[in-house]
Amino acid sequence: MISLTTNTGGLKLESPAILASGILDENGYTMKRILDEGAGAVVTKSIGTEERNGYFSPVVAPEGSYLINAMGLPNPGIDFFRDEINIALKSGKPIIGSIFASNTDDFLKLALKMQDYGVSAVELNLSCPHVQGFGSEVGSDPVLVKDIVKNLKGTLKIPVWSKLSPNVTSISEIARASSESDALVLINTVRAMAIDVESKRPVLTNVYGGLSGKAIKPVGLRCVYEARKECDIDIIGVGGIYNYRDALEYIMAGASAFQIGTALMEYGRKVFGDIAMDLESYLKKNNVANIKELVGVAVQ
Amino acid sequence: MISLTTNTGGLKLESPAILASGILDENGYTMKRILDEGAGAVVTKSIGTEERNGYFSPVVAPEGSYLINAMGLPNPGIDFFRDEINIALKSGKPIIGSIFASNTDDFLKLALKMQDYGVSAVELNLSCPHVQGFGSEVGSDPVLVKDIVKNLKGTLKIPVWSKLSPNVTSISEIARASSESDALVLINTVRAMAIDVESKRPVLTNVYGGLSGKAIKPVGLRCVYEARKECDIDIIGVGGIYNYRDALEYIMAGASAFQIGTALMEYGRKVFGDIAMDLESYLKKNNVANIKELVGVAVQ
Amino acid sequence: MEHIEVKRKKVDTPTVASLYFEWDARVLPGQFIMVWVPGLGEVPMSLSKTGKEKCITVKAYGESTGKLAKTEVGELITLRGPYGKPFKKSGGDILLIGGGSGMASLRPLINRRSTGIIASRTPEELLFSEEFNADKRIEVTEDGRKGIKGIVLDGMDMVNPEDFSMIYVCGPERMLKAVYDKIKDKNVNAQFSLERSMKCGIGLCDSCSVNGYQVCVDGPVFDMNQLRDMTEFGTSKLLASGKRVKI
Amino acid sequence: MEHIEVKRKKVDTPTVASLYFEWDARVLPGQFIMVWVPGLGEVPMSLSKTGKEKCITVKAYGESTGKLAKTEVGELITLRGPYGKPFKKSGGDILLIGGGSGMASLRPLINRRSTGIIASRTPEELLFSEEFNADKRIEVTEDGRKGIKGIVLDGMDMVNPEDFSMIYVCGPERMLKAVYDKIKDKNVNAQFSLERSMKCGIGLCDSCSVNGYQVCVDGPVFDMNQLRDMTEFGTSKLLASGKRVKI
Ligand SMILES: Cc1cc2nc3c(=O)[nH]c(=O)nc-3n(C[C@H](O)[C@H](O)[C@H](O)COP(=O)(O)OP(=O)(O)OC[C@H]3O[C@@H](n4cnc5c(N)ncnc54)[C@H](O)[C@@H]3O)c2cc1C
Ligand SMILES: Cc1cc2nc3c(=O)[nH]c(=O)nc-3n(C[C@H](O)[C@H](O)[C@H](O)COP(=O)(O)OP(=O)(O)OC[C@H]3O[C@@H](n4cnc5c(N)ncnc54)[C@H](O)[C@@H]3O)c2cc1C
Ligand SMILES: Cc1cc2nc3c(=O)[nH]c(=O)nc-3n(C[C@H](O)[C@H](O)[C@H](O)COP(=O)(O)O)c2cc1C
Ligand SMILES: Cc1cc2nc3c(=O)[nH]c(=O)nc-3n(C[C@H](O)[C@H](O)[C@H](O)COP(=O)(O)O)c2cc1C
Ligand code: FES
Ligand code: FES
């Protein structure tokens, strides 16, 4: 019996293909649909303590093989997000609540509310590269990261995932700092920008944004591989996964599940079902009983 | 009179299109040909104190829109490089000697030899992402960088360029540390890797390599833009420049010249002449007398 | 992103202008583009002409559209796309129902056999009604100074919806919902073009979603069957922040 | 990178094996691929068949080629390419001059009107000579146990180079240079396929360059005119480190 079932980061997933935070996960109905259509779990949009509109458009700069975005962490604030989670929960599959804050107290407050709303785990956004005071500004400070993870782990009943940034001198150092988490999620976007030559100005209203899609797969793989060698902890791979071979690269580098974001720009919501199907065929063809057997096999 | 002539980093260039270090610049005859065929200058392969064979192949993993390489700093050692520079100098155009070392003394020794050989400037490789003890391991330490630059500037008669890595938490910090240089060269490759799903192992013999080409243009632009805002110093842009529009993006972000590497994989040596010609047409069409007028116009 | 010169301009109503340009993309009626107004924002715009010559018809609504409507001949517009699924074609007699700038996306469907119900607040704002045959043009104004006094629904009473092989509807969502409710139990085929606020246009940001369908990629055109299960249609939407509000 | 199953294998000589496979790339005679032997290295290999069925002919030289030559039917080879500029075709009588594994790249050119000078150390190592017409086959062995005793140049004395519309040459660079010197002042057309050590195969690393031309992208095939100005041809090359040595 071929199986894609995975236990990772304290959760049991029917499929290792998870929707990444920030893509089609603001509206409860959308999350529910994506789960119904084949994702193993969804991570919500990153939610903070207060309502934020995000940046003025343009907030995305799409290119052939990549995307740069600076949404600016739009979110209704944690209190208004309960209803969306309620809608999404009707799918019966795991919802992972992504949260962002600039200090331990706020992270704790947000995480407790998420737990209260019924999510299966929280994912700490320690890595958004384009909002001052949040994300990677927090996530590049190992002392602060350690403190946040420690406090949350000490208080929450549900698993804690830490989503890290590739925009650091040493991913190993930050991986170590967050090694009390139930899983590392690698990677968030790479800090980047684009200029419009015609109008002679940056394309994104915020100037700086995050690079995602095909272009960052080699960077994401490297971070997963480095973290795998650094600490013995579950890893969720993310960055430029478009098909089952990309997913297998991440799995062989040490990830036990993976998230998909930008590929939706090319393949739409069906990408989750398609990849799961292709992975199953691959396992069958190669006589592998469970996808778990492939985790980390390329690590030397 | 339309002009591409640029004064940057202490040099006068007929064209701002420079060959990047490590691509077709190990053999003196090749460098000479590239200059004869239209490059404004060439940067040599990074040269160290001792002979190195580099890594066993595979040393490159080419993909559609990018390349990952781990050559491993092959070089004949500084003493054997004199002859190659002699051959290249016959072109009459500027040669920039790239050097790598793990400490200030070695950098100084290498730079003095390069100066002795007749190069127009030295470029410090503070940024190779895949050789232990060199490159970005040196270049991510602001104190060491400052010391190296200071010593070289105090001793050399020719300009000193610092080539920096994007694999750091803060490019601004390293830019500041190297701000006594005559120019910053941004960026070297992004640390990355690839896995071959069939053989279940990393493609590159060294496992880790550097990502270059189209995929890193948004990262290079961001680094140039950040450094431009941080300090008032000449910047040479490099990373994913394939055509004149890519070059213009870098120029508008604050670069006064640019280097080209991976694009040779797609367009060959003629890319230098082609881009220069296209830039000239652009200037003509847009009534810009000198390319200098466009430097940094997109910076907000 | 592409930069394209405006070749021709026509001020259609006091608040609406059409910008004509040549663009070699293949576009079908119902599809839209994202137009960037540097410094102000990026806005979705339907193509109101989809042949060799393309056109966008802009209602000066807020800052971005206000500036865009002021674009002059010879200036460039910056755009990406085309995006979205087009209207499905239909032979025979068709009915086009447009409210406000909604007529823009319906315009490429106007032909000899199309009847139009064109609704607006004032006569000056009636858009493209002159492009319908005089005998197939039902104008509706709120102030009643031209055509029928009232709203779109009042215009619909002038025809039998079941006489048409297809009904195409575009306008504010509340209007769409009203039309939908009026015809949902009749024996008709209809397609509705929805306008939800859009940040990305490419199916990633979730700001345009209706019951899990992205208006920007699954729409903007939906048929009656698709709308039947959409509990969010005409009732609630998310603000820029993601906060849910009633429509 | 592509992974392709070996369909057929033939041991051509004690040290040379041919691996046959189906690969839907368009390849022309003279082009090559980079073959990866995991854990050992990546090596350039000419295609010795370029039709629907492809073939590489491997001489077990060092570790990588040694392992590659041991690949069995049903196993996969991992490759990228094809790379390089092919031989230019020529009608009429042609002369193929191959030393050692150099015959591999010449093999797709063998036809009714081709004369071959096939050189090797021993009779056992003569490669593909049986594919020439018996009367158009000049074998040369260093030990003299078969054909002419001597080196390629001795074989060349058996023909008049000017009788051929084109001469194709492939083998070690010193052999190429000797052939080149022998015919350079004659009234002949010739193409030489160079074998320089290659790290990247795509024109970036400079390890294969001869006077600024990259053998991997500008070559491997060069004609007499191109070689005329190449002062490095047959005289010096760079080692893996970039250190210049005499050939
Ligand atoms: C598919 C589709 C087709 C359309 N076709 C047409 C058409 O053909 N003709 C037409 O006239 N109209 C059309 N519209 C409507 C048109 O896009 C809107 O009228 C337009 O977006 C309003 O933009 P504005 O800048 O003028 O308005 P404003 O209200 O000034 O600004 C809206 C813009 O600013 C951003 N914004 C505003 N406030 C904030 C904030 N606090 N934080 C972050 N961002 C903010 C919004 O994201 C948006 O980009 C269409 C809409 C859709 C969805
Ligand atoms: C265009 C072209 C076509 C060719 N076609 C054919 C053909 O059809 N048939 C054929 O038999 N041969 C062919 N060759 C020759 C063949 O590629 C060589 O025989 C082969 O590369 C030798 O490899 P090896 O591993 O067996 O030898 P080795 O000498 O064991 O190893 C060479 C390999 O290891 C690397 N290497 C060795 N030492 C070091 C070091 N110290 N540091 C770093 N790297 C090192 C080299 O880069 C190379 O990859 C061709 C060559 C070229 C250029
Ligand atoms: C439009 C967009 C919005 C995103 N928003 C968030 C976010 O709110 N929180 C977060 O942790 N990551 C966010 N990300 C990062 C993704 O979750 C993911 O880490 C990244 O895009 C790399 O994966 P991909 O290449 O599959 O998209 C966002 C990415 C995109 C493209
Ligand atoms: C094959 C290869 C070898 C390189 N070797 C060096 C090197 O020796 N020293 C160095 O400073 N940069 C080296 N680089 C980095 C390039 O100079 C350049 O910074 C980088 O490739 C980004 O530019 P590109 O996208 O135009 O290639 C190398 C890049 C490649 C692709
Ligand atoms: S506008 Fe972003 S998903 Fe539709
Ligand atoms: S093998 Fe690298 S340039 Fe030819």
Short mmCIF file of all heavy atoms in Angstrom, two decimals, chain A residues 216-254:
data_model
loop_
_atom_site.label_atom_id
_atom_site.label_comp_id
_atom_site.label_asym_id
_atom_site.label_seq_id
_atom_site.Cartn_x
_atom_site.Cartn_y
_atom_site.Cartn_z
N ILE A 216 13.75 30.61 -6.59
CA ILE A 216 14.33 30.43 -5.25
C ILE A 216 14.42 28.96 -4.83
O ILE A 216 14.88 28.66 -3.73
CB ILE A 216 13.58 31.24 -4.16
CG1 ILE A 216 12.16 30.70 -3.93
CG2 ILE A 216 13.51 32.71 -4.54
CD1 ILE A 216 11.51 31.26 -2.67
N LYS A 217 14.03 28.06 -5.69
CA LYS A 217 14.11 26.64 -5.31
C LYS A 217 15.52 26.25 -4.88
O LYS A 217 15.69 25.61 -3.83
CB LYS A 217 13.60 25.73 -6.43
CG LYS A 217 13.51 24.28 -6.00
CD LYS A 217 13.07 23.35 -7.12
CE LYS A 217 14.13 23.22 -8.20
NZ LYS A 217 13.84 22.19 -9.22
N PRO A 218 16.56 26.65 -5.64
CA PRO A 218 17.92 26.25 -5.22
C PRO A 218 18.31 26.84 -3.86
O PRO A 218 19.11 26.24 -3.14
CB PRO A 218 18.81 26.84 -6.32
CG PRO A 218 17.90 27.03 -7.51
CD PRO A 218 16.57 27.37 -6.93
N VAL A 219 17.75 27.97 -3.50
CA VAL A 219 18.06 28.60 -2.21
C VAL A 219 17.31 27.87 -1.09
O VAL A 219 17.87 27.57 -0.03
CB VAL A 219 17.69 30.10 -2.22
CG1 VAL A 219 18.06 30.75 -0.89
CG2 VAL A 219 18.37 30.82 -3.39
N GLY A 220 16.05 27.56 -1.35
CA GLY A 220 15.27 26.84 -0.36
C GLY A 220 15.86 25.46 -0.07
O GLY A 220 15.98 25.05 1.10
N LEU A 221 16.24 24.76 -1.13
CA LEU A 221 16.85 23.44 -0.96
C LEU A 221 18.11 23.52 -0.11
O LEU A 221 18.34 22.71 0.78
CB LEU A 221 17.24 22.88 -2.33
CG LEU A 221 16.12 22.25 -3.14
CD1 LEU A 221 16.62 21.95 -4.55
CD2 LEU A 221 15.61 20.99 -2.46
N ARG A 222 18.90 24.53 -0.40
CA ARG A 222 20.15 24.69 0.35
C ARG A 222 19.86 24.92 1.83
O ARG A 222 20.52 24.36 2.71
CB ARG A 222 20.94 25.87 -0.25
CG ARG A 222 22.27 26.16 0.39
CD ARG A 222 22.20 27.21 1.48
NE ARG A 222 21.84 28.52 0.96
CZ ARG A 222 21.69 29.58 1.72
NH1 ARG A 222 21.85 29.49 3.04
NH2 ARG A 222 21.31 30.73 1.20
N CYS A 223 18.86 25.74 2.13
CA CYS A 223 18.53 26.03 3.54
C CYS A 223 18.01 24.78 4.24
O CYS A 223 18.36 24.51 5.39
CB CYS A 223 17.50 27.15 3.62
SG CYS A 223 18.15 28.76 3.15
N VAL A 224 17.16 24.02 3.56
CA VAL A 224 16.66 22.78 4.16
C VAL A 224 17.82 21.83 4.44
O VAL A 224 17.93 21.27 5.54
CB VAL A 224 15.63 22.11 3.22
CG1 VAL A 224 15.32 20.68 3.67
CG2 VAL A 224 14.35 22.94 3.16
N TYR A 225 18.69 21.69 3.46
CA TYR A 225 19.84 20.79 3.61
C TYR A 225 20.74 21.25 4.76
O TYR A 225 21.16 20.44 5.59
CB TYR A 225 20.60 20.79 2.29
CG TYR A 225 21.62 19.70 2.09
CD1 TYR A 225 21.32 18.56 1.34
CD2 TYR A 225 22.91 19.81 2.61
CE1 TYR A 225 22.26 17.57 1.13
CE2 TYR A 225 23.86 18.82 2.41
CZ TYR A 225 23.53 17.70 1.66
OH TYR A 225 24.48 16.73 1.45
N GLU A 226 21.02 22.54 4.82
CA GLU A 226 21.86 23.07 5.91
C GLU A 226 21.22 22.84 7.27
O GLU A 226 21.89 22.44 8.23
CB GLU A 226 22.13 24.57 5.70
CG GLU A 226 23.20 24.86 4.67
CD GLU A 226 23.61 26.34 4.62
OE1 GLU A 226 22.75 27.20 4.94
OE2 GLU A 226 24.75 26.63 4.26
N ALA A 227 19.92 23.10 7.37
CA ALA A 227 19.24 22.93 8.65
C ALA A 227 19.19 21.46 9.04
O ALA A 227 19.37 21.10 10.20
CB ALA A 227 17.82 23.50 8.57
N ARG A 228 18.96 20.61 8.02
CA ARG A 228 18.93 19.16 8.27
C ARG A 228 20.24 18.68 8.89
O ARG A 228 20.26 17.87 9.80
CB ARG A 228 18.67 18.45 6.93
CG ARG A 228 18.76 16.94 6.90
CD ARG A 228 17.51 16.26 7.44
NE ARG A 228 17.30 16.55 8.83
CZ ARG A 228 16.12 16.75 9.40
NH1 ARG A 228 15.03 16.68 8.72
NH2 ARG A 228 16.05 17.02 10.69
N LYS A 229 21.35 19.23 8.39
CA LYS A 229 22.65 18.83 8.92
C LYS A 229 22.90 19.44 10.30
O LYS A 229 23.69 18.92 11.08
CB LYS A 229 23.77 19.25 7.96
CG LYS A 229 23.66 18.60 6.59
CD LYS A 229 24.97 18.58 5.85
CE LYS A 229 25.90 17.57 6.44
NZ LYS A 229 26.79 16.94 5.46
N GLU A 230 22.23 20.56 10.57
CA GLU A 230 22.47 21.27 11.82
C GLU A 230 21.70 20.69 12.99
O GLU A 230 22.23 20.55 14.08
CB GLU A 230 22.09 22.76 11.64
CG GLU A 230 22.41 23.64 12.82
CD GLU A 230 23.90 23.73 13.10
OE1 GLU A 230 24.69 23.64 12.12
OE2 GLU A 230 24.29 23.88 14.27
N CYS A 231 20.41 20.39 12.77
CA CYS A 231 19.66 19.87 13.90
C CYS A 231 18.64 18.83 13.49
O CYS A 231 18.18 18.77 12.37
CB CYS A 231 19.02 20.99 14.72
SG CYS A 231 18.35 22.35 13.81
N ASP A 232 18.29 18.02 14.47
CA ASP A 232 17.43 16.88 14.24
C ASP A 232 16.00 17.29 14.55
O ASP A 232 15.50 17.10 15.66
CB ASP A 232 17.89 15.75 15.18
CG ASP A 232 17.14 14.48 14.88
OD1 ASP A 232 16.66 14.34 13.72
OD2 ASP A 232 17.01 13.65 15.80
N ILE A 233 15.34 17.87 13.57
CA ILE A 233 14.02 18.42 13.80
C ILE A 233 13.25 18.30 12.49
O ILE A 233 13.85 18.24 11.42
CB ILE A 233 14.16 19.91 14.23
CG1 ILE A 233 12.83 20.61 14.38
CG2 ILE A 233 15.04 20.68 13.27
CD1 ILE A 233 12.98 22.03 14.93
N ASP A 234 11.94 18.18 12.59
CA ASP A 234 11.15 18.08 11.36
C ASP A 234 11.27 19.37 10.56
O ASP A 234 11.28 20.47 11.11
CB ASP A 234 9.67 17.85 11.71
CG ASP A 234 9.43 16.41 12.15
OD1 ASP A 234 10.35 15.58 11.99
OD2 ASP A 234 8.33 16.12 12.66
N ILE A 235 11.34 19.19 9.26
CA ILE A 235 11.46 20.36 8.38
C ILE A 235 10.36 20.31 7.33
O ILE A 235 10.08 19.26 6.76
CB ILE A 235 12.84 20.39 7.69
CG1 ILE A 235 13.96 20.54 8.74
CG2 ILE A 235 12.91 21.54 6.68
CD1 ILE A 235 15.35 20.51 8.16
N ILE A 236 9.74 21.47 7.11
CA ILE A 236 8.76 21.62 6.04
C ILE A 236 9.43 22.49 4.98
O ILE A 236 9.83 23.61 5.26
CB ILE A 236 7.48 22.35 6.53
CG1 ILE A 236 7.07 21.91 7.94
CG2 ILE A 236 6.37 22.22 5.51
CD1 ILE A 236 6.44 20.56 8.04
N GLY A 237 9.57 21.97 3.77
CA GLY A 237 10.25 22.71 2.71
C GLY A 237 9.29 23.59 1.93
O GLY A 237 8.17 23.18 1.66
N VAL A 238 9.74 24.77 1.57
CA VAL A 238 8.90 25.67 0.76
C VAL A 238 9.78 26.63 -0.02
O VAL A 238 10.82 27.09 0.46
CB VAL A 238 7.86 26.42 1.64
CG1 VAL A 238 8.50 27.03 2.86
CG2 VAL A 238 7.12 27.51 0.87
N GLY A 239 9.38 26.87 -1.25
CA GLY A 239 10.14 27.76 -2.13
C GLY A 239 10.28 27.14 -3.51
O GLY A 239 11.08 26.25 -3.71
N GLY A 240 9.46 27.61 -4.43
CA GLY A 240 9.63 27.20 -5.82
C GLY A 240 9.22 25.78 -6.13
O GLY A 240 9.70 25.20 -7.10
N ILE A 241 8.34 25.21 -5.35
CA ILE A 241 7.86 23.86 -5.68
C ILE A 241 6.70 23.98 -6.67
O ILE A 241 5.68 24.57 -6.36
CB ILE A 241 7.44 23.09 -4.40
CG1 ILE A 241 8.66 22.91 -3.50
CG2 ILE A 241 6.81 21.74 -4.77
CD1 ILE A 241 8.37 22.26 -2.17
N TYR A 242 6.90 23.42 -7.86
CA TYR A 242 5.90 23.49 -8.93
C TYR A 242 5.38 22.12 -9.33
O TYR A 242 4.31 22.01 -9.89
CB TYR A 242 6.49 24.18 -10.18
CG TYR A 242 6.53 25.68 -10.10
CD1 TYR A 242 7.25 26.32 -9.10
CD2 TYR A 242 5.84 26.47 -11.02
CE1 TYR A 242 7.30 27.70 -9.02
CE2 TYR A 242 5.89 27.86 -10.94
CZ TYR A 242 6.61 28.46 -9.94
OH TYR A 242 6.64 29.83 -9.87
N ASN A 243 6.19 21.08 -9.07
CA ASN A 243 5.76 19.74 -9.49
C ASN A 243 6.36 18.70 -8.54
O ASN A 243 7.08 19.04 -7.60
CB ASN A 243 6.18 19.49 -10.94
CG ASN A 243 7.67 19.68 -11.12
OD1 ASN A 243 8.48 19.23 -10.31
ND2 ASN A 243 8.07 20.36 -12.18
N TYR A 244 6.03 17.44 -8.79
CA TYR A 244 6.42 16.40 -7.83
C TYR A 244 7.93 16.24 -7.76
O TYR A 244 8.47 15.86 -6.73
CB TYR A 244 5.73 15.07 -8.17
CG TYR A 244 6.40 14.27 -9.25
CD1 TYR A 244 7.22 13.18 -8.93
CD2 TYR A 244 6.23 14.58 -10.59
CE1 TYR A 244 7.85 12.44 -9.92
CE2 TYR A 244 6.86 13.85 -11.58
CZ TYR A 244 7.67 12.78 -11.24
OH TYR A 244 8.30 12.07 -12.22
N ARG A 245 8.64 16.55 -8.83
CA ARG A 245 10.10 16.42 -8.79
C ARG A 245 10.71 17.48 -7.88
O ARG A 245 11.66 17.21 -7.14
CB ARG A 245 10.70 16.48 -10.19
CG ARG A 245 10.27 15.30 -11.06
CD ARG A 245 10.98 15.28 -12.39
NE ARG A 245 12.33 14.75 -12.30
CZ ARG A 245 12.63 13.46 -12.35
NH1 ARG A 245 11.68 12.57 -12.50
NH2 ARG A 245 13.87 13.06 -12.24
N ASP A 246 10.16 18.70 -7.96
CA ASP A 246 10.62 19.75 -7.04
C ASP A 246 10.38 19.29 -5.60
O ASP A 246 11.24 19.44 -4.72
CB ASP A 246 9.85 21.05 -7.29
CG ASP A 246 10.09 21.63 -8.68
OD1 ASP A 246 11.18 21.41 -9.24
OD2 ASP A 246 9.17 22.31 -9.20
N ALA A 247 9.19 18.73 -5.37
CA ALA A 247 8.86 18.26 -4.02
C ALA A 247 9.83 17.18 -3.58
O ALA A 247 10.32 17.19 -2.44
CB ALA A 247 7.42 17.74 -3.99
N LEU A 248 10.15 16.26 -4.49
CA LEU A 248 11.09 15.17 -4.14
C LEU A 248 12.47 15.73 -3.81
O LEU A 248 13.15 15.24 -2.91
CB LEU A 248 11.19 14.17 -5.30
CG LEU A 248 10.03 13.18 -5.42
CD1 LEU A 248 10.16 12.36 -6.70
CD2 LEU A 248 9.95 12.26 -4.19
N GLU A 249 12.89 16.76 -4.53
CA GLU A 249 14.18 17.37 -4.19
C GLU A 249 14.19 17.83 -2.73
O GLU A 249 15.14 17.56 -1.99
CB GLU A 249 14.48 18.57 -5.11
CG GLU A 249 14.99 18.21 -6.49
CD GLU A 249 15.59 19.41 -7.21
OE1 GLU A 249 16.70 19.84 -6.86
OE2 GLU A 249 14.92 19.95 -8.13
N TYR A 250 13.11 18.52 -2.34
CA TYR A 250 13.02 18.99 -0.95
C TYR A 250 12.99 17.82 0.02
O TYR A 250 13.63 17.85 1.07
CB TYR A 250 11.78 19.86 -0.76
CG TYR A 250 12.03 21.32 -1.05
CD1 TYR A 250 11.74 21.88 -2.28
CD2 TYR A 250 12.57 22.16 -0.07
CE1 TYR A 250 11.98 23.22 -2.55
CE2 TYR A 250 12.80 23.51 -0.32
CZ TYR A 250 12.51 24.03 -1.56
OH TYR A 250 12.74 25.36 -1.81
N ILE A 251 12.24 16.79 -0.33
CA ILE A 251 12.13 15.63 0.57
C ILE A 251 13.49 14.96 0.71
O ILE A 251 13.95 14.66 1.82
CB ILE A 251 11.04 14.67 0.04
CG1 ILE A 251 9.65 15.32 0.24
CG2 ILE A 251 11.12 13.32 0.74
CD1 ILE A 251 8.53 14.63 -0.48
N MET A 252 14.18 14.78 -0.40
CA MET A 252 15.49 14.13 -0.35
C MET A 252 16.53 14.99 0.38
O MET A 252 17.50 14.49 0.93
CB MET A 252 15.97 13.80 -1.76
CG MET A 252 15.13 12.70 -2.40
SD MET A 252 15.67 12.31 -4.08
CE MET A 252 14.49 11.02 -4.52
N ALA A 253 16.29 16.31 0.39
CA ALA A 253 17.19 17.21 1.12
C ALA A 253 16.87 17.22 2.62
O ALA A 253 17.61 17.81 3.40
CB ALA A 253 17.09 18.62 0.56
N GLY A 254 15.76 16.58 3.00
CA GLY A 254 15.49 16.47 4.42
C GLY A 254 14.13 16.97 4.89
O GLY A 254 13.85 16.96 6.09
#
